[in-house]
Short mmCIF file of all heavy atoms in Angstrom, two decimals:
data_model
loop_
_atom_site.label_atom_id
_atom_site.label_comp_id
_atom_site.label_asym_id
_atom_site.label_seq_id
_atom_site.Cartn_x
_atom_site.Cartn_y
_atom_site.Cartn_z
N GLU A 1 33.04 -16.72 8.51
CA GLU A 1 33.69 -17.59 7.52
C GLU A 1 34.28 -18.81 8.20
O GLU A 1 35.01 -18.69 9.18
CB GLU A 1 34.78 -16.81 6.78
CG GLU A 1 35.52 -17.61 5.74
CD GLU A 1 34.62 -18.09 4.61
OE1 GLU A 1 34.37 -17.30 3.69
OE2 GLU A 1 34.17 -19.26 4.69
N LYS A 2 33.97 -20.01 7.71
CA LYS A 2 34.49 -21.24 8.30
C LYS A 2 35.41 -22.00 7.33
O LYS A 2 35.99 -23.01 7.71
CB LYS A 2 33.35 -22.16 8.72
CG LYS A 2 32.50 -21.62 9.86
CD LYS A 2 31.41 -22.61 10.24
CE LYS A 2 30.69 -22.16 11.52
NZ LYS A 2 29.95 -20.91 11.34
N ARG A 3 35.55 -21.53 6.10
CA ARG A 3 36.31 -22.28 5.09
C ARG A 3 37.81 -22.02 5.24
O ARG A 3 38.25 -20.88 5.34
CB ARG A 3 35.81 -21.90 3.70
CG ARG A 3 34.33 -22.21 3.50
CD ARG A 3 33.78 -21.67 2.20
NE ARG A 3 33.77 -20.21 2.15
CZ ARG A 3 33.25 -19.50 1.15
NH1 ARG A 3 32.69 -20.13 0.13
NH2 ARG A 3 33.28 -18.19 1.18
N PRO A 4 38.61 -23.09 5.28
CA PRO A 4 40.05 -22.95 5.57
C PRO A 4 40.78 -22.00 4.62
O PRO A 4 41.62 -21.22 5.06
CB PRO A 4 40.58 -24.38 5.45
CG PRO A 4 39.40 -25.26 5.69
CD PRO A 4 38.23 -24.51 5.14
N PHE A 5 40.49 -22.07 3.32
CA PHE A 5 41.24 -21.26 2.37
C PHE A 5 41.09 -19.77 2.68
O PHE A 5 42.06 -19.00 2.63
CB PHE A 5 40.77 -21.55 0.94
CG PHE A 5 41.44 -20.68 -0.09
CD1 PHE A 5 42.69 -21.04 -0.59
CD2 PHE A 5 40.85 -19.52 -0.55
CE1 PHE A 5 43.32 -20.24 -1.54
CE2 PHE A 5 41.48 -18.72 -1.49
CZ PHE A 5 42.72 -19.08 -1.99
N PHE A 6 39.87 -19.32 2.99
CA PHE A 6 39.63 -17.90 3.22
C PHE A 6 40.04 -17.45 4.62
O PHE A 6 40.10 -16.25 4.89
CB PHE A 6 38.16 -17.56 2.96
CG PHE A 6 37.80 -17.59 1.51
CD1 PHE A 6 36.86 -18.48 1.04
CD2 PHE A 6 38.40 -16.73 0.61
CE1 PHE A 6 36.52 -18.52 -0.30
CE2 PHE A 6 38.08 -16.75 -0.73
CZ PHE A 6 37.13 -17.65 -1.19
N ASN A 7 40.28 -18.39 5.53
CA ASN A 7 40.73 -18.00 6.87
C ASN A 7 42.24 -17.91 6.98
O ASN A 7 42.75 -17.25 7.89
CB ASN A 7 40.19 -19.00 7.90
CG ASN A 7 38.73 -18.75 8.23
OD1 ASN A 7 38.30 -17.62 8.36
ND2 ASN A 7 37.96 -19.82 8.35
N ASP A 8 42.96 -18.58 6.10
CA ASP A 8 44.41 -18.57 6.18
C ASP A 8 44.97 -17.28 5.60
O ASP A 8 44.62 -16.88 4.49
CB ASP A 8 44.98 -19.78 5.42
CG ASP A 8 46.49 -19.86 5.56
OD1 ASP A 8 46.96 -20.38 6.57
OD2 ASP A 8 47.20 -19.37 4.63
N ASN A 9 45.83 -16.60 6.38
CA ASN A 9 46.53 -15.41 5.91
C ASN A 9 45.55 -14.35 5.40
O ASN A 9 45.77 -13.71 4.38
CB ASN A 9 47.54 -15.78 4.81
CG ASN A 9 48.54 -14.68 4.55
OD1 ASN A 9 48.81 -13.85 5.42
ND2 ASN A 9 49.10 -14.67 3.36
N GLN A 10 44.48 -14.14 6.14
CA GLN A 10 43.42 -13.23 5.71
C GLN A 10 43.47 -11.89 6.44
O GLN A 10 42.70 -10.98 6.12
CB GLN A 10 42.05 -13.91 5.94
CG GLN A 10 40.86 -13.22 5.32
CD GLN A 10 40.84 -13.28 3.81
OE1 GLN A 10 41.52 -14.10 3.21
NE2 GLN A 10 40.03 -12.44 3.18
N ASN A 11 44.40 -11.73 7.39
CA ASN A 11 44.40 -10.53 8.24
C ASN A 11 44.47 -9.24 7.45
O ASN A 11 43.83 -8.25 7.81
CB ASN A 11 45.58 -10.57 9.20
CG ASN A 11 45.46 -11.67 10.22
OD1 ASN A 11 44.39 -12.25 10.39
ND2 ASN A 11 46.55 -11.98 10.89
N ILE A 12 45.25 -9.22 6.39
CA ILE A 12 45.45 -7.98 5.65
C ILE A 12 44.14 -7.45 5.07
O ILE A 12 43.95 -6.24 4.92
CB ILE A 12 46.50 -8.17 4.53
CG1 ILE A 12 46.82 -6.83 3.87
CG2 ILE A 12 46.05 -9.20 3.52
CD1 ILE A 12 47.93 -6.89 2.85
N PHE A 13 43.18 -8.33 4.78
CA PHE A 13 41.92 -7.91 4.16
C PHE A 13 40.85 -7.56 5.19
O PHE A 13 39.75 -7.14 4.81
CB PHE A 13 41.40 -9.02 3.24
CG PHE A 13 42.36 -9.43 2.16
CD1 PHE A 13 43.04 -10.64 2.25
CD2 PHE A 13 42.60 -8.61 1.08
CE1 PHE A 13 43.94 -11.02 1.26
CE2 PHE A 13 43.50 -8.98 0.08
CZ PHE A 13 44.17 -10.20 0.18
N ASP A 14 41.14 -7.71 6.47
CA ASP A 14 40.14 -7.48 7.51
C ASP A 14 40.07 -6.00 7.85
O ASP A 14 40.93 -5.46 8.56
CB ASP A 14 40.47 -8.28 8.77
CG ASP A 14 40.24 -9.77 8.58
OD1 ASP A 14 39.39 -10.13 7.75
OD2 ASP A 14 40.91 -10.56 9.26
N VAL A 15 39.04 -5.32 7.34
CA VAL A 15 38.78 -3.92 7.66
C VAL A 15 37.34 -3.83 8.14
O VAL A 15 36.42 -4.27 7.45
CB VAL A 15 38.99 -3.01 6.43
CG1 VAL A 15 38.73 -1.55 6.80
CG2 VAL A 15 40.39 -3.18 5.86
N VAL A 16 37.15 -3.27 9.34
CA VAL A 16 35.81 -3.24 9.94
C VAL A 16 35.45 -1.83 10.33
O VAL A 16 36.32 -0.96 10.50
CB VAL A 16 35.75 -4.17 11.18
CG1 VAL A 16 36.08 -5.60 10.79
CG2 VAL A 16 36.70 -3.69 12.27
N GLY A 17 34.13 -1.60 10.47
CA GLY A 17 33.61 -0.31 10.89
C GLY A 17 32.32 -0.49 11.66
O GLY A 17 31.86 -1.63 11.88
N PRO A 18 31.68 0.59 12.10
CA PRO A 18 30.42 0.48 12.84
C PRO A 18 29.33 -0.20 12.02
O PRO A 18 29.41 -0.30 10.79
CB PRO A 18 30.06 1.95 13.12
CG PRO A 18 31.34 2.70 13.02
CD PRO A 18 32.15 1.99 11.98
N GLU A 19 28.28 -0.64 12.70
CA GLU A 19 27.19 -1.40 12.10
C GLU A 19 27.68 -2.71 11.50
O GLU A 19 27.18 -3.18 10.48
CB GLU A 19 26.46 -0.57 11.03
CG GLU A 19 25.68 0.59 11.58
CD GLU A 19 24.51 0.18 12.45
OE1 GLU A 19 23.43 -0.12 11.91
OE2 GLU A 19 24.67 0.15 13.69
N ASN A 20 28.71 -3.28 12.14
CA ASN A 20 29.29 -4.57 11.72
C ASN A 20 29.79 -4.51 10.27
O ASN A 20 29.78 -5.52 9.56
CB ASN A 20 28.26 -5.70 11.87
CG ASN A 20 28.92 -7.03 12.17
OD1 ASN A 20 30.09 -7.09 12.52
ND2 ASN A 20 28.17 -8.10 12.04
N LEU A 21 30.23 -3.34 9.84
CA LEU A 21 30.73 -3.19 8.47
C LEU A 21 31.98 -4.04 8.26
O LEU A 21 32.88 -4.05 9.10
CB LEU A 21 31.03 -1.72 8.19
CG LEU A 21 31.51 -1.37 6.78
CD1 LEU A 21 30.97 0.00 6.36
CD2 LEU A 21 33.04 -1.35 6.67
N ARG A 22 32.01 -4.77 7.15
CA ARG A 22 33.17 -5.53 6.70
C ARG A 22 33.42 -5.14 5.24
O ARG A 22 32.56 -5.31 4.39
CB ARG A 22 32.92 -7.04 6.76
CG ARG A 22 32.61 -7.58 8.16
CD ARG A 22 33.83 -7.50 9.06
NE ARG A 22 33.66 -8.24 10.30
CZ ARG A 22 33.10 -7.77 11.41
NH1 ARG A 22 32.60 -6.54 11.41
NH2 ARG A 22 33.03 -8.50 12.50
N VAL A 23 34.62 -4.60 4.98
CA VAL A 23 34.95 -4.25 3.59
C VAL A 23 35.03 -5.50 2.73
O VAL A 23 34.63 -5.50 1.57
CB VAL A 23 36.26 -3.44 3.55
CG1 VAL A 23 36.71 -3.20 2.10
CG2 VAL A 23 36.07 -2.10 4.27
N VAL A 24 35.55 -6.60 3.30
CA VAL A 24 35.59 -7.89 2.62
C VAL A 24 34.91 -8.92 3.52
O VAL A 24 35.35 -9.15 4.65
CB VAL A 24 37.02 -8.34 2.30
CG1 VAL A 24 37.03 -9.72 1.65
CG2 VAL A 24 37.70 -7.33 1.38
N HIS A 25 33.84 -9.52 3.02
CA HIS A 25 33.09 -10.55 3.76
C HIS A 25 33.07 -11.79 2.87
O HIS A 25 32.20 -11.94 2.01
CB HIS A 25 31.68 -10.05 4.05
CG HIS A 25 30.84 -10.99 4.86
ND1 HIS A 25 31.25 -11.53 6.05
CD2 HIS A 25 29.60 -11.51 4.63
CE1 HIS A 25 30.32 -12.31 6.54
NE2 HIS A 25 29.31 -12.33 5.69
N THR A 26 34.05 -12.68 3.07
CA THR A 26 34.27 -13.78 2.12
C THR A 26 33.14 -14.79 2.02
O THR A 26 33.07 -15.50 1.01
CB THR A 26 35.58 -14.51 2.46
OG1 THR A 26 35.57 -14.91 3.83
CG2 THR A 26 36.78 -13.62 2.19
N PRO A 27 32.19 -14.94 2.99
CA PRO A 27 31.06 -15.84 2.74
C PRO A 27 30.23 -15.46 1.51
O PRO A 27 29.45 -16.28 1.02
CB PRO A 27 30.23 -15.73 4.03
CG PRO A 27 31.25 -15.46 5.08
CD PRO A 27 32.24 -14.55 4.42
N ARG A 28 30.40 -14.21 1.00
CA ARG A 28 29.72 -13.86 -0.26
C ARG A 28 30.22 -14.72 -1.42
O ARG A 28 29.49 -15.00 -2.36
CB ARG A 28 30.01 -12.40 -0.61
CG ARG A 28 29.59 -11.39 0.42
CD ARG A 28 28.12 -11.13 0.37
NE ARG A 28 27.75 -10.07 1.29
CZ ARG A 28 26.57 -9.99 1.87
NH1 ARG A 28 25.64 -10.90 1.64
NH2 ARG A 28 26.29 -9.00 2.69
N ILE A 29 31.50 -15.11 -1.35
CA ILE A 29 32.13 -15.81 -2.47
C ILE A 29 31.69 -17.27 -2.48
O ILE A 29 31.86 -17.98 -1.49
CB ILE A 29 33.66 -15.72 -2.37
CG1 ILE A 29 34.11 -14.25 -2.34
CG2 ILE A 29 34.33 -16.45 -3.51
CD1 ILE A 29 35.59 -14.06 -2.07
N GLY A 30 31.11 -17.69 -3.57
CA GLY A 30 30.62 -19.06 -3.66
C GLY A 30 29.38 -19.29 -2.82
O GLY A 30 29.08 -20.41 -2.44
N GLY A 31 28.64 -18.23 -2.54
CA GLY A 31 27.42 -18.33 -1.74
C GLY A 31 26.28 -17.59 -2.37
O GLY A 31 26.32 -17.21 -3.55
N GLU A 32 25.24 -17.34 -1.59
CA GLU A 32 24.07 -16.64 -2.11
C GLU A 32 24.37 -15.15 -2.29
O GLU A 32 25.15 -14.58 -1.56
CB GLU A 32 22.88 -16.82 -1.17
CG GLU A 32 22.41 -18.27 -1.05
CD GLU A 32 21.22 -18.41 -0.13
OE1 GLU A 32 20.83 -17.39 0.50
OE2 GLU A 32 20.69 -19.53 -0.02
#
C-alpha cells in the first residue's frame, strides 16, 4: 500500500500469517 490515508495509523489492522496472509490488504479498496 502506497496511499497516505491507508498508511496512517494502520497498525491496529495489521494481522499477518504464513503464505503472506494479510487479514486486511487495503490495495483491494478502490482497486481491481
Side-chain angles (χ1 to χ4, degrees):
E1 179 63 83
K2 294 182 172 65
R3 300 172 294 185
F5 177 84
F6 288 118
N7 282 319
D8 184 83
N9 195 25
Q10 191 69 17
N11 293 346
I12 186 174
F13 303 106
D14 288 333
V15 181
V16 301
E19 291 294 277
N20 211 14
L21 182 145
R22 300 290 192 274
V23 173
V24 177
H25 183 52
T26 53
R28 302 282 185 209
I29 302 173
E32 296 181 355

